[in-house]
Amino acid sequence: MAITGIISKYPSTLIYQLKSVEKMPLEIFETAEFGSKYVAQSIAWAIKRKEQLGQTTVLGLATGSSPIKIYGELVRMHKEEGLSFKNVVTFNLDEYYGLTHDDPQSYHYFMHEHLFQYIDIPKENIYIPDGTIPMDQVSKYCDHYEKQIQLHGGLDIQILGIGRTGHIGFNEPGSDQKSITRLIQLDNITRRDAAESFGNIEDVPYKAITMGIKTILSAKEIYIMAWGQHKAEIVRSSVEEEPTPRIPATFLQLHSNVRYCIDGAAAEKLTRVETPWRVGSCQWTDNLTCKAVVWLSQLTGKPILKLTDEDYNEHGLSELIAERDNAYQINLAIFNRLQHTITGWPGGKPNTDDRNRPERSTPTKKSVIIFSPHPDDDVISMGGTFLRLVDQDHDVHVAYQTSGNIAVHNHDAQRFLEFYEQYNKLASITPKNPLFDAALKTLLSDAKDKNTPEVRAVKGLIRRGEATAAARFSGLKDKNIHFLDLPFYEASKVKKSNGTEADVAIIKELLMARKPHQVFAAGDLADPHGTHRICLDAILTAFEELKDEKWIKNCWLWLYRGAWHEYTIDEIEMTIPLSPQELLKKRKAIYMHQSQKDSAPFPGEDSREFWQRAEHRNKATAEMYRDLGFAEYEAMEAFKRWKFSFQQ
Ligand code: F6R
């Protein structure tokens, strides 16, 4: 089958060398959509082929975020192309132990929601482990599940996601290669990841029933998928390390018909992407050369200008020396390139030659919009640059894309509402506000999920107040502060649905009203809840849809990364150094977000407070530049420019 949307980063002549590093066939797709379509097509072809032979296709199915787009595509093929599932039998990998079939977190519910309700599969052909089986019958039940698979002739195709522990199904680290369907204990990391959709870690079950590694390996064909940066490390280790129970997915290397399907973000840590010169011959673009020089400098602990021909030769970079003459030439070129990323003038330095500066010197006073996905990303990720832009007299506007209301603790909302109630009493004010009253009533009740629209509205107001305080502290007038409350966010819970035209329309309206010269936006695609990704997509779409406007051809989009991690040095195109005083001021702006200061309800993996994460990251960037041989600054904020095809 022709594979579309594949990123061919590696010349086919080097497949042999690649195999010595990557121990499973792997395809990198431009996007998860392309990868999912490819897997869905493979499944559809298998179903049709077997149907022609009068045979049944037995599919092993997974849940979680990874296969959702595959199910979407299968449903589309059923509706639009007549793909029938009448001759299909499915076996799901796993189910949480203790959840009833109608529990919204159960995998029974998930499969119905995403696939079964839309297709013509006979009910009796669906097998999903039953999490309600009494404990003393579980073992017998699991044996029976295995037998059912065999009775149907075994799994034809198994699809898999991978957990950050390296689990496949719920075979957590330590699982034996010979394991079959059984009850297991969930790893803590897995439970923490699941807490996002359960809303609370305490509600995540401790146990699950899962097919074993042996059951999975018995499938005739296997597709394993991983999408997104947060999977990059586990993708690398599962593909490049030897089979080990420490990383159960490595056992897939023993299968003769397995294919790993990932997107560019999940491929970031693969040796062929991170240090391709260790795999074989490379095409030495400027970016790759920069990456290699920074890597070599960090590996040898030498500043760039001190790297010698021997350093290059001894560390597998002789090809680069051969191509570019000598170390001195390479060092100088890369040193200058990185030097030119550093500027104290994020809006461009007025009245200077800007050929070697990241931003244009004209117009001297720029119209700027800073987009912030959540109400605190602006100050966390670019608080120092924000202050500079205002100080340097640019016309800065900030636009908070979402209300961020889901990330406020119930007790905080209750505190505000009780203050309001007490105030009303003291001031003898009646009548009261029905929205506030309803919110307080819910918060004081025993309701399990207290995030009613009223409570979320109050939480949104709390975050609005904090964002306003931080933006004012950074020097903005209230008229320059915009709250967009994008509809996609309000319509979903922790895991976000996709953005819509309505979101894009709101962004377009603001862009048209301001006609900015410069836009800053979060380019952080590792956001665990997907909000940053959707907010960026809405901005990119808005730019594309406005591409015929004259001003947008000169509107530069700068991306910053959110609280999770920084761009790598070779990716950075503008770095703003911060003085110790500026860093302190940035910290104070972050402090304004008091509802996030304690421990935010959805902090992701990192338990540090946001101001700490921001400072550690900005200081680490400054240290990295210092170690490469540049001046030593207190901290640095980094940006990368997004260039549209309609811009130079
Ligand atoms: C789901 C399953 C798990 C997931 C894995 C990845 O049935 O067995 O192994 O595939 O945890 O989850 P997502 O796709 O949500 O990242």
Side-chain angles (χ1 to χ4, degrees):
M1 175 180 28
I3 308 181
T4 46
I6 201 154
I7 301 178
S8 181
K9 283 200 171 173
Y10 218 82
S12 55
T13 45
L14 286 160
I15 291 297
Y16 179 73
Q17 281 102 311
L18 193 55
K19 273 190 182 155
S20 64
V21 182
E22 289 177 12
K23 302 179 178 69
M24 277 187 253
L26 177 142
E27 308 287 5
I28 307 172
F29 293 85
E30 240 170 83
T31 60
E33 282 77 16
F34 279 120
S36 304
K37 271 194 180 147
Y38 167 72
V39 178
Q41 265 167 28
S42 311
I43 294 174
W45 284 29
I47 294 175
K48 286 181 200 156
R49 223 174 23 242
K50 289 204 106 181
E51 201 174 27
Q52 278 168 3
L53 299 172
Q55 294 171 358
T56 308
T57 307
V58 184
L59 298 178
L61 300 180
T63 57
S65 58
S66 307
I68 287 181
K69 291 193 168 75
I70 298 181
Y71 297 148
E73 179 63 8
L74 288 174
V75 170
R76 189 198 64 74
M77 286 195 252
H78 170 66
K79 286 190 177 150
E80 293 175 16
E81 297 168 12
L83 175 69
S84 172
F85 291 81
K86 287 213 167 100
N87 274 324
V88 173
V89 173
T90 63
F91 284 90
N92 262 80
L93 277 168
D94 41 19
E95 175 61 287
Y96 289 113
Y97 187 68
L99 296 195
T100 53
H101 301 181
D102 57 353
D103 188 310
Q105 298 305 331
S106 76
Y107 288 168
H108 277 78
Y109 190 92
F110 177 101
M111 290 309 299
H112 180 75
E113 278 285 288
H114 292 281
L115 185 65
F116 296 144
Q117 65 168 313
Y118 303 109
I119 57 175
D120 59 347
I121 186 166
K123 251 191 171 160
E124 60 279 15
N125 287 8
I126 298 172
Y127 294 82
I128 304 177
D130 185 351
T132 64
I133 292 289
M135 193 52 98
D136 57 348
Q137 291 167 33
V138 169
S139 165
K140 216 166 130 203
Y141 172 81
C142 291
D143 289 347
H144 182 67
Y145 199 74
E146 286 282 327
K147 287 213 180 78
Q148 291 292 336
I149 298 176
Q150 285 154 20
L151 275 175
H152 283 90
L155 301 164
D156 290 306
I157 296 182
Q158 175 68 54
I159 60 169
L160 299 169
I162 180 166
R164 285 185 313 126
T165 57
H167 72 210
I168 44 174
F170 274 141
N171 293 284
E172 297 288 16
S175 295
D176 194 84
Q177 188 187 334
K178 298 213 167 59
S179 56
I180 54 170
T181 305
R182 69 206 185 287
L183 185 72
I184 55 91
Q185 196 78 19
L186 290 169
D187 193 285
N188 216 29
I189 297 183
T190 302
R191 291 189 64 245
R192 279 211 301 267
D193 283 349
E196 276 182 27
S197 39
F198 278 82
N200 196 335
I201 184 131
E202 284 84 44
D203 295 335
V204 182
Y206 285 89
K207 292 182 179 359
I209 294 179
T210 180
M211 281 186 196
I213 308 267
K214 188 172 164 201
T215 328
I216 293 171
L217 289 178
S218 73
K220 298 178 188 84
E221 206 176 339
I222 300 178
Y223 292 91
I224 173 161
M225 296 151 288
W227 322 119
Q229 261 158 7
H230 59 300
K231 295 283 173 81
E233 189 51 56
I234 194 66
V235 165
R236 191 206 57 75
S237 47
S238 56
V239 174
E240 297 187 4
E241 288 184 26
E242 297 294 333
T244 161
R246 212 169 29 80
I247 310 167
T250 51
F251 287 126
L252 296 174
Q253 296 170 16
L254 307 172
H255 196 275
S256 59
N257 196 4
V258 61
R259 196 176 282 258
Y260 224 123
C261 298
I262 64 176
D263 62 1
E268 268 184 13
K269 296 269 169 178
L270 289 174
T271 303
R272 72 157 115 168
V273 176
E274 204 169 49
T275 50
W277 48 90
R278 291 163 79 193
V279 184
S281 182
C282 296
Q283 271 184 337
W284 288 103
T285 58
D286 287 351
N287 284 353
L288 190 62
T289 308
C290 182
K291 195 174 190 146
V293 173
V294 170
W295 172 81
L296 186 62
S297 164
Q298 287 169 341
L299 188 77
T300 56
K302 287 182 176 185
I304 292 175
L305 292 176
K306 284 193 178 175
L307 293 171
T308 61
D309 283 20
E310 285 71 43
D311 292 324
Y312 282 84
N313 289 329
E314 273 168 25
H315 294 97
L317 289 167
S318 49
E319 190 185 54
L320 186 54
I321 293 284
E323 206 167 290
R324 303 272 170 108
D325 277 358
N326 56 45
Y328 181 73
Q329 299 295 341
I330 305 169
N331 296 349
L332 209 58
I334 298 305
F335 185 85
N336 284 335
R337 169 183 160 138
L338 293 176
Q339 177 76 66
H340 295 154
T341 61
I342 306 172
T343 179
W345 301 84
K349 186 169 185 183
N351 311 316
T352 46
D353 177 355
D354 59 10
R355 273 173 298 179
N356 284 324
R357 291 181 173 277
E359 246 302 349
R360 300 147 296 175
S361 57
T362 54
T364 49
K365 185 174 162 146
K366 289 192 172 63
S367 162
V368 181
I369 300 180
I370 298 172
F371 281 105
S372 181
H374 297 98
D376 52 358
D377 292 307
D378 54 343
V379 286
I380 290 173
S381 301
M382 56 168 291
T385 306
F386 190 161
L387 289 164
R388 285 245 170 143
L389 286 163
V390 177
D391 281 352
Q392 291 170 356
D393 218 21
H394 297 288
D395 185 15
V396 181
H397 282 241
V398 65
Y400 298 102
Q401 293 178 275
T402 70
S403 67
N405 58 17
I406 203 80
V408 176
H409 285 286
N410 287 340
H411 61 75
D412 268 336
Q414 187 172 333
R415 187 160 54 86
F416 275 90
L417 287 167
E418 283 173 345
F419 174 86
Y420 146 84
E421 204 180 49
Q422 290 301 321
Y423 173 82
N424 276 347
K425 253 192 208 151
L426 285 174
S428 313
I429 294 175
T430 44
K432 296 203 284 174
N433 179 318
L435 183 133
F436 288 180
D437 290 344
L440 187 56
K441 199 168 157 210
T442 306
L443 288 168
L444 293 173
S445 74
D446 292 335
K448 202 170 165 209
D449 180 3
K450 295 190 172 156
N451 274 317
T452 57
E454 294 82 11
V455 172
R456 284 186 67 169
V458 171
K459 291 180 172 181
L461 283 180
I462 294 173
R463 296 212 70 182
R464 229 177 224 232
E466 293 168 347
T468 305
R472 281 181 193 155
F473 181 80
S474 305
L476 286 202
K477 297 255 178 345
D478 286 7
K479 69 174 177 45
N480 290 22
I481 306 171
H482 308 263
F483 292 95
L484 306 184
D485 288 342
L486 293 185
F488 85 86
Y489 187 90
E490 301 307 313
S492 46
K493 294 211 163 183
V494 180
K495 283 248 183 213
K496 297 296 172 290
S497 53
N498 286 330
T500 63
E501 280 170 23
D503 302 311
V504 176
I506 293 172
I507 306 272
K508 270 165 70 178
E509 196 181 317
L510 182 66
L511 286 171
M512 281 302 289
R514 302 291 329 138
K515 296 194 173 54
H517 303 101
Q518 246 193 345
V519 166
F520 289 85
D524 186 340
L525 308 178
D527 165 23
H529 312 143
T531 300
H532 285 215
R533 165 99 241 180
I534 299 169
C535 285
L536 178 62
D537 282 347
I539 295 171
L540 297 179
T541 312
F543 264 74
E544 289 290 347
E545 290 184 9
L546 293 173
K547 67 171 182 255
D548 293 330
E549 297 288 328
K550 203 168 155 222
W551 58 270
I552 208 150
K553 302 208 168 30
N554 294 315
C555 174
W556 284 16
L557 174 60
W558 288 101
L559 301 181
Y560 59 82
R561 276 209 167 157
W564 290 277
H565 69 304
E566 192 51 276
Y567 288 116
T568 54
I569 290 243
D570 56 290
E571 290 176 303
I572 294 173
E573 288 173 271
M574 176 162 75
T575 334
I576 312 297
L578 307 184
S579 68
Q581 287 87 337
E582 281 171 314
L583 193 64
L584 204 61
K585 203 160 173 204
K586 167 173 174 165
R587 185 195 293 182
K588 285 190 180 157
I590 301 175
Y591 278 173
M592 298 289 172
H593 294 274
Q594 284 177 14
S595 68
Q596 307 299 297
K597 225 193 92 48
D598 183 358
S599 145
F602 299 104
E605 264 308 282
D606 195 332
S607 60
R608 287 171 301 166
E609 284 190 32
F610 286 113
W611 67 269
Q612 290 172 313
R613 294 194 221 180
E615 279 185 18
H616 291 167
R617 192 177 85 181
N618 295 158
K619 285 187 174 182
T621 307
E623 281 159 19
M624 217 145 59
Y625 268 90
R626 177 201 63 199
D627 294 344
L628 294 171
F630 298 93
E632 181 168 355
Y633 295 98
E634 176 74 358
M636 284 172 144
E637 288 177 347
F639 302 88
K640 181 177 164 59
R641 202 184 138 201
W642 183 281
K643 295 183 193 84
F644 292 92
S645 56
F646 54 86
Q647 296 179 327
Q648 304 156 349

